[in-house]
Amino acid sequence: MILILLSWCYILISSIIFGFLFNKLIATHSNNFAIKSIIGLFFITIISSVWALFFRINIEFHCILFSINCLALFLYHTEITSIFKQFYLDFKKLIPSLKIYLLLILFLILAQCATIPFIIDNESYYIQTIKWLNEYGFVPGLGNLHIFFAQTSGWHVLQSVFNFSFLYNNFNDISGFCLALGTIFATFKLNNYFRNSNKNYLSIGLLPLANLFFFQFINAPSPDIAVYILTLILFYYFIKFYHKTHIQVFNLLITLVLFILYIKPISVVLLLIPVSYFCINFKNFYKNIVPTMILSLSVLILFITKNTILTGFALYPFTNLNLNLDFQIPKDIILFMFKKSTRFSFFVSETDLQNLTNFQIFKRWFLVSKINFLFNLVTVVLFFVTPIFIYKFFNKKGIWIVYFISVLQLILLLFSIPQYRFFVHLSVFFGCLIISSFLKSKKIIIPFLFVSVIPIIILLFFQVQINSISSNKLTSKNSVISFDNVIFPYQNSKYLGKFEIITNGNLKYNSPVDNSFFWKTSNGNLPCVNKIQIKYFEKYFKIVPQMRTNNIKDGFYAKKVK
């Protein structure tokens, strides 16, 4: 915990400085301390992604990052230190109970980040993706080695910057830092609500009520938690400034959406948020959008370049634009991957997917486990009853637009990746909106917040079997804090198993001895891939991954075998 706290102090300083510098380039409505830090994280993500096109994200990059921090502090010392001073003054303005609550939650976030990583995706590709970035940057055809590596997220680029791999091996907690920023943002807005009774402040201020769910994602660098927090903040600013004309707000909305899309492109429908704001204020904005257009185009080019290097396809997973690169992933592998993802999302076999009716598939998805049933039911109910509450308590165009855009996003997810963790943040937002219709008094809200912390503490300090509500045996136990983790966080992987070195053609790779699941790689040395996966693709698709040259930096290609 202590080591994580120290690393967060450096991350916070760096993000505030880069948020300040970004605001010099593109003016945003980012006077808020947490928003300034988020904007800084976005700027660092983009810079490090450009760096990763050519070099590894390692000590060399950190020397440059540290030098920029020092130079910025030297040139803008007064302005930057004033940001921290203002945050301290704002913290002092919190009512005493909120100060205690905020410090308690931040402590619990730190503690959770020091525990055993919970998310199974951490063991299939998070750790390995970040390792590749630390040791080589973006590698051509990396998706041929393991198809999941093709999904390298901007969030993993950011984690590769702040895992300080050249100093220590166990930092894996950028998602926890993001939740801390979101909690700070929400707590300060809740304090504002107690002063001015603005319901928009209350709805975002109730965000920490969802921390019981969010906590399961923060001891691994899950892109989901970043999408949750950024999306909810995006909704807040759009609703708040819907009837106001500020180009800085438009710039902020664009920046938040670009960050979200670079982290998880499936959130593409959220582009309608800044687009609708721009259309409403077209006459006032069209002469001033050159900086944001350049930024948007730059991020798009970077996204396409990253995809092309990793997969051979500019718009992966779409394969219509064929560049005929020697390292492109075979199309039948991509098709297999997404068919398998579809079957997994709907919890059906390939035979069932072909034979069952749409209603039967939907029923299987809806009822597969208690936890799926709970989240799916809550989501369906919320999206049906929310219009009633909006009409009665929040009848404003901004909220209606957010609602309909959220419906479109939900529909897209239901027809592509219908897993509750991809749309739960939409439910959280409208859930908080509805709760804010009932919880209005400080005397009720504050105790409610503290009561919501109790199950978090129980799960953090006591082992609880969750087999009865989850069908996934790989995530049947919660992660608990131990005395050993007070200073040193748990290692990046939950598995302590051994690896064997296997040679296949010109490829020598590490494979986990314990093959508890098909995609497992965990914390093996590079290159690492499960031998079961290699054998499966060789048997059924007649391909094996091979190195393009003797230099691993030159990447991998899919070789046809007889």
Side-chain angles (χ1 to χ4, degrees), residues 545-557:
Q546 295 287 282
M547 293 175 59
R548 296 174 68 215
T549 69
N550 292 328
N551 186 353
I552 199 171
K553 170 65 177 173
D554 292 329
F556 306 88
Y557 74 100

Side-chain angles (χ1 to χ4, degrees), residues 155 159 172-180 217-218 220-223 225-226:
W155 198 241
Q159 178 66 84
N172 204 38
D173 40 69
I174 194 66
S175 291
F177 181 78
C178 181
L179 182 60
F217 294 85
I218 62 175
S222 169
I225 200 70

Side-chain angles (χ1 to χ4, degrees), residues 482-496:
S482 70
F483 183 77
D484 294 336
N485 301 139
V486 172
I487 297 177
F488 303 100
Y490 193 86
Q491 65 174 18
N492 291 356
S493 171
K494 67 168 65 176
Y495 295 107
L496 302 173

Side-chain angles (χ1 to χ4, degrees), residues 395-547:
N395 200 6
K396 297 179 180 179
K397 287 185 178 180
I399 298 181
W400 281 113
I401 291 175
V402 166
Y403 173 75
F404 286 117
I405 289 175
S406 297
V407 170
L408 291 176
Q409 180 66 50
L410 179 63
I411 292 172
L412 173 64
L413 291 169
L414 289 177
F415 281 93
S416 55
I417 315 176
Q419 298 178 38
Y420 66 80
R421 67 187 178 97
F422 291 112
F423 52 74
V424 70
H425 56 300
L426 305 177
S427 304
V428 167
F429 178 78
F430 293 113
C432 289
L433 203 69
I434 292 173
I435 292 173
S436 67
S437 304
F438 302 101
L439 296 183
K440 299 179 182 180
S441 169
K442 183 184 356 178
K443 293 181 180 179
I444 299 176
I445 294 172
I446 296 298
F448 205 72
L449 286 175
F450 278 97
V451 169
S452 71
V453 174
I454 295 175
I456 295 175
I457 295 174
I458 293 174
L459 289 175
L460 184 58
F461 289 94
F462 301 97
Q463 192 78 68
V464 179
Q465 292 290 336
I466 57 177
N467 305 60
S468 58
I469 61 172
S470 175
S471 60
N472 192 339
K473 296 180 181 179
L474 299 173
T475 56
S476 60
K477 294 182 180 180
N478 57 303
S479 300
V480 297
I481 190 73
S482 70
F483 183 77
D484 294 336
N485 301 139
V486 172
I487 297 177
F488 303 100
Y490 193 86
Q491 65 174 18
N492 291 356
S493 171
K494 67 168 65 176
Y495 295 107
L496 302 173
K498 296 180 180 180
F499 292 80
E500 57 181 323
I501 298 176
I502 298 175
T503 300
N504 189 326
N506 71 353
L507 175 65
K508 183 181 290 187
Y509 65 94
N510 294 278
S511 175
V513 175
D514 170 24
N515 295 303
S516 53
F517 66 101
F518 186 80
W519 304 108
K520 180 179 179 180
T521 56
S522 295
N523 202 15
N525 293 329
L526 302 183
C528 183
V529 61
N530 198 318
K531 65 182 180 183
I532 293 179
Q533 180 184 331
I534 297 290
K535 291 177 180 178
Y536 182 91
F537 288 131
E538 183 175 4
K539 179 179 179 180
Y540 293 101
F541 294 94
K542 305 301 180 184
I543 63 167
V544 293
Q546 295 287 282
M547 293 175 59

Side-chain angles (χ1 to χ4, degrees), residues 1-8 110 168 171 486-489:
M1 287 175 58
I2 294 176
L3 287 182
I4 293 175
L5 178 60
L6 292 175
S7 72
W8 282 8
L110 268 174
Y168 189 60
F171 288 132
V486 172
I487 297 177
F488 303 100

Side-chain angles (χ1 to χ4, degrees), residues 127-367:
I127 298 172
Q128 289 293 314
T129 296
I130 293 164
K131 271 193 171 187
W132 280 104
L133 289 165
N134 283 147
E135 298 190 24
Y136 297 101
F138 294 129
V139 174
L142 185 60
N144 286 306
L145 181 66
H146 190 309
I147 188 66
F148 284 13
F149 298 165
Q151 301 175 157
T152 299
S153 167
W155 198 241
H156 296 139
V157 175
L158 184 63
Q159 178 66 84
S160 73
V161 174
F162 290 122
N163 68 344
F164 308 101
S165 60
F166 56 94
L167 292 176
Y168 189 60
N169 294 324
N170 292 0
F171 288 132
N172 204 38
D173 40 69
I174 194 66
S175 291
F177 181 78
C178 181
L179 182 60
L181 291 177
T183 302
I184 291 170
F185 182 84
T187 305
F188 279 57
K189 294 305 176 185
L190 184 59
N191 193 68
N192 290 341
Y193 167 75
F194 293 147
R195 295 173 180 270
N196 59 26
S197 299
N198 187 315
K199 287 185 179 181
N200 194 33
Y201 290 145
L202 177 57
S203 59
I204 194 69
L206 294 176
L207 170 63
L209 292 177
N211 275 342
L212 176 62
F213 176 78
F214 292 159
F215 263 54
Q216 307 311 311
F217 294 85
I218 62 175
N219 49 11
S222 169
D224 295 320
I225 200 70
V227 172
Y228 297 163
I229 300 301
L230 295 177
T231 300
L232 297 176
I233 291 175
L234 174 72
F235 288 169
Y236 164 80
Y237 276 106
F238 177 75
I239 293 170
K240 180 180 179 180
F241 290 99
Y242 177 78
H243 290 293
K244 299 178 182 178
T245 303
H246 297 299
I247 188 64
Q248 294 88 352
V249 173
F250 173 69
N251 293 342
L252 176 59
L253 297 178
I254 280 286
T255 302
L256 289 172
V257 168
L258 289 176
F259 201 4
I260 293 170
L261 295 185
Y262 194 63
I263 293 170
K264 185 156 289 212
I266 194 66
S267 302
V268 64
V269 176
L270 296 181
L271 267 175
L272 294 175
I273 293 286
V275 168
S276 59
Y277 188 72
F278 174 77
C279 292
I280 294 167
N281 300 283
F282 176 79
K283 292 182 179 179
N284 297 303
F285 286 175
Y286 77 95
K287 293 181 180 179
N288 301 303
I289 64 166
V290 173
T292 49
M293 290 300 294
I294 293 174
L295 174 65
S296 302
L297 184 61
S298 300
V299 173
L300 176 61
I301 292 173
L302 179 60
F303 176 75
I304 290 173
T305 305
K306 172 179 73 74
N307 275 356
T308 303
I309 292 174
L310 294 172
T311 71
F313 295 101
L315 299 176
Y316 177 84
F318 301 105
T319 60
N320 296 332
L321 184 59
N322 194 337
L323 302 176
N324 292 316
L325 298 172
D326 68 287
F327 57 83
Q328 71 181 24
I329 303 172
K331 292 183 180 181
D332 51 354
I333 297 297
I334 297 174
L335 183 61
F336 163 80
M337 165 64 186
F338 282 91
K339 278 188 175 180
K340 193 174 183 68
S341 295
T342 301
R343 294 198 306 271
F344 176 78
S345 297
F346 285 105
F347 303 95
V348 295
S349 66
E350 186 168 1
T351 303
D352 288 340
L353 195 61
Q354 294 173 353
N355 297 329
L356 296 179
T357 65
N358 289 336
F359 176 77
Q360 289 172 323
I361 293 174
F362 176 80
K363 183 179 178 181
R364 178 82 61 87
W365 165 78
F366 201 85
L367 302 173

Side-chain angles (χ1 to χ4, degrees), residues 373-406:
F373 172 72
L374 175 63
F375 281 106
N376 294 337
L377 178 63
V378 168
T379 298
V380 171
V381 171
L382 280 175
F383 271 84
F384 273 106
V385 303
T386 292
I388 300 173
F389 283 88
I390 293 178
Y391 179 77
K392 187 173 182 179
F393 299 104
F394 310 94
N395 200 6
K396 297 179 180 179
K397 287 185 178 180
I399 298 181
W400 281 113
I401 291 175
V402 166
Y403 173 75
F404 286 117
I405 289 175
S406 297

